[in-house]
Amino acid sequence: MNIDIFGYFAAILTTAAFLPQLLKTLKTKKAEDVSLITLIMFIVGVISWIIYGYQISSAPILIANLITLILNFLILISKIYFSKTSSQ
Amino acid sequence: MNIDIFGYFAAILTTAAFLPQLLKTLKTKKAEDVSLITLIMFIVGVISWIIYGYQISSAPILIANLITLILNFLILISKIYFSKTSSQ
């Protein structure tokens, strides 16, 4: 068995995992229970992974983290947007 | 500048990021808006990273993902526990 199979499987899962969160937030129109600090720390961390991936020329790190960044950025924007609309 | 600095910074942030979510969930006693599917997919992904880290003998991948696993497992348990107590 290819030793990298768990690496690819892991990268796909820890990236795609944020899609259900985004869909749930868009559907319920709230993300009050989702920690804002977690989202911000995670996004800054993912941006650092992208810089690191670029520095060491690792396409898998770059691609996985770019998708993770987009998904988490959309979750963050949705959370902020829905928290504003619900408090009005 | 050490090329690995962004890698370490990224690993610390994307690991520690889940602590505020855990603390928020324990404090508010609810995690209704946190996606269960996201948590499960993410945990399975993190377990795969641990297997991969073990296979390629990477201590940073092993350590970062073990901490991430513990934090996300505690968030999952808290979410399930509080959803049961609130529905009673």
Side-chain angles (χ1 to χ4, degrees), chain A residues 2-18:
Chain A
N2 189 335
I3 199 173
D4 285 341
I5 198 163
F6 277 107
Y8 289 120
F9 185 65
I12 291 167
L13 270 178
T14 51
T15 299
F18 297 102

Side-chain angles (χ1 to χ4, degrees), chain A residues 51 55, chain B residues 1-6:
Chain A
I51 296 169
Q55 283 178 329
Chain B
M1 194 174 70
N2 189 335
I3 200 172
D4 285 341
I5 198 163
F6 278 106

Side-chain angles (χ1 to χ4, degrees), chain B residues 40 54 57 85:
Chain B
I40 293 168
Y54 178 78
S57 304
T85 44

Side-chain angles (χ1 to χ4, degrees), chain A residues 17 21 30 32-33 35 38, chain B residues 3 17 21 30 32-33 35 38:
Chain A
Q21 179 66 62
K30 66 190 188 75
E32 195 190 315
D33 302 340
S35 166
T38 288
Chain B
I3 200 172
Q21 180 65 62
K30 66 190 188 76
E32 196 191 314
D33 301 341
S35 165
T38 288

Side-chain angles (χ1 to χ4, degrees), chain B residues 11 17 41 54 60 70 73 78 82 86 88:
Chain B
M41 283 175 75
Y54 178 78
I70 293 165
F73 187 72
S78 306
F82 292 132
S86 67
Q88 275 171 356

